[in-house]
Amino acid sequence: MASQGTGYDLSASTYSPDGRIFQIEYAQKAVENAGTVIGIKCKDGIVLAVEKLVNTKLLVKGTNRRILNIDRHAGFATAGLIADGYHLADRARQEAVNFRDTYKFPAPIGTLARRLSSYIHAFTLYSSVRPFGISTLLFGIDEIEGPQIYLIEPSGTYWGYKGAALGKARQLAKTEIEKLDLSELSLEDGVKEAAKIIYKVHDDAKDKDFELEMAWIGPQTKGGKGQVELVPQDKIDEAARLAKEAMDNEMED
């Protein structure tokens, strides 16, 4: 890519002769080097799971979260540069607050996705800025469309999905998600299946240790308020145990 992009990869506002913008492609490489993120739309809510790679054993558990709240009914997870993700989270919160102040009800998830993608796209138009080195899974439940997941790319393009994956093992994770009957999958079972996928795509030989970070939203979350919250640690531990047992059984077979 470097040889092909020489002279055309110095700015996000410069096209190559074959119509490529190399800075956006380089940003996508940052996403592909990150830990895997998956989102699953269940019959009664949404589950997100993140393979948060741990660079050192001295790191305090739970720091540098990859899943962040945007509003009571919405959250997102990022794969790529962590600092870019926190900046984008602040922007998304501003959009959610502005919508609520203007229209007096929570922003639809699709509206948040459109506004956030427009903001990301603006960073691909000028030579004085660089594209965000992250892809984002925006998720939540609104009164209009119900549970939704949107994937937003570094180019500013966004797509709605029933199940999506980001990061280094996204293709394998996507294949595993496609095997699930999402229309019949409960939120509790979605946590277990998501943990299985994360453990299955993690490569112990090549990758560092990781923390399993999970969040969900559904009618029973946040004490029955139907808001975004981190999955309780005891449920994560149980899901991780079942995932490890399933992998051991597969190896024995």
Side-chain angles (χ1 to χ4, degrees), residues 163-216:
L166 304 172
K168 56 182 177 54
R170 71 188 186 286
Q171 197 57 51
L172 179 56
K174 180 182 175 183
T175 301
E176 293 298 319
I177 293 173
E178 289 173 348
K179 296 177 183 178
L180 302 175
D181 185 1
L182 300 179
S183 63
E184 297 298 324
L185 193 67
S186 69
L187 206 59
E188 293 279 351
D189 290 337
V191 169
K192 298 173 184 177
E193 294 296 339
K196 287 180 183 178
I197 293 173
I198 291 294
Y199 273 91
K200 187 169 186 177
V201 302
H202 178 75
D203 190 337
D204 289 325
K206 296 180 181 179
D207 298 328
K208 305 178 180 67
D209 293 336
F210 76 97
E211 290 180 23
L212 178 59
E213 187 176 322
M214 305 186 77
W216 60 2

Side-chain angles (χ1 to χ4, degrees), residues 48-194:
L48 251 72
V50 171
E51 174 198 22
K52 189 171 70 174
L53 299 177
V54 178
N55 296 321
T56 172
K57 294 181 179 179
L58 300 177
L59 188 68
V60 176
K61 187 175 181 179
T63 56
N64 289 332
R65 282 177 49 193
R66 298 267 300 281
I67 302 177
L68 303 168
N69 284 60
I70 300 306
D71 201 341
R72 289 190 289 269
H73 70 300
F76 79 2
T78 60
L81 304 180
I82 295 176
D84 285 13
Y86 280 107
H87 173 82
L88 202 59
D90 288 340
R91 177 68 185 198
R93 289 166 185 149
Q94 291 175 18
E95 294 290 356
V97 169
N98 290 341
F99 189 97
R100 191 185 288 269
D101 288 345
T102 302
Y103 299 103
K104 310 307 178 186
F105 68 93
I109 307 302
T111 299
L112 283 177
R114 184 174 67 252
R115 292 188 177 189
L116 204 56
S117 64
S118 295
Y119 180 74
I120 293 172
H121 176 62
F123 281 73
T124 69
L125 302 177
Y126 308 103
S127 59
S128 58
V129 296
R130 65 162 175 80
F132 286 99
I134 54 171
S135 285
T136 301
L137 285 185
L138 177 67
F139 70 101
I141 297 179
D142 62 50
E143 298 176 357
I144 300 174
E145 299 291 340
Q148 297 169 76
I149 301 174
Y150 286 91
L151 188 158
I152 309 176
E153 299 177 344
S155 64
T157 305
Y158 71 100
W159 311 85
Y161 283 94
K162 295 179 180 178
L166 304 172
K168 56 182 177 54
R170 71 188 186 286
Q171 197 57 51
L172 179 56
K174 180 182 175 183
T175 301
E176 293 298 319
I177 293 173
E178 289 173 348
K179 296 177 183 178
L180 302 175
D181 185 1
L182 300 179
S183 63
E184 297 298 324
L185 193 67
S186 69
L187 206 59
E188 293 279 351
D189 290 337
V191 169
K192 298 173 184 177
E193 294 296 339

